[in-house]
Amino acid sequence: MALTDSLDELIQLDKITPQLALKVLAQFDKSITEALDCRVKTRATFKQGSLRTYRFCDEVWTFIIKDPNLRIEHEQLQVDKIKIVACSAKKPGEAEK
């Protein structure tokens, strides 16, 4: 969100074009996806809890789970709620099979 806010401000100040801002966001998404795929090995699981909200919009699922039993690696965490956002694992431009 900070990147989007900064890019919006730069557009309003006529420092960059909207097209350049879109290219920056696309590169950011690509870089984050690569980093998560290659560098993050931590696994999280949750049990129990109650599904409070779920949505499917623009090929993106959003789930909000209240009072889950959350475990990250070997550490148990107590949280009020978690939000899970999931989208297709396809890379941009990849054809559907």
Side-chain angles (χ1 to χ4, degrees), residues 27-87:
Q27 181 59 49
F28 176 80
D29 288 345
K30 182 179 176 186
S31 298
I32 288 295
T33 300
E34 277 182 25
L36 290 174
D37 188 36
C38 298
R39 298 181 187 166
V40 176
K41 303 299 179 202
T42 303
R43 299 234 181 242
T45 58
F46 63 93
K47 295 181 182 178
Q48 301 166 346
S50 57
L51 180 62
R52 286 310 207 200
T53 306
Y54 65 93
R55 294 183 200 104
F56 182 69
C57 181
D58 294 332
E59 300 295 320
V60 176
W61 280 101
T62 303
F63 302 92
I64 298 177
I65 301 167
K66 186 176 180 193
D67 298 322
N69 181 354
L70 184 64
R71 179 180 293 244
I72 299 178
E73 292 294 311
H74 302 290
E75 184 179 350
Q76 190 89 13
L77 300 173
Q78 186 62 40
V79 295
D80 294 332
K81 65 182 175 181
I82 59 173
K83 180 178 183 178
I84 300 171
V85 179
C87 58

Side-chain angles (χ1 to χ4, degrees), residues 5-17:
D5 291 344
S6 296
L7 291 171
D8 285 342
E9 185 176 336
L10 290 170
I11 291 169
Q12 290 174 0
L13 296 172
D14 288 329
K15 299 290 183 182
I16 63 172
T17 64

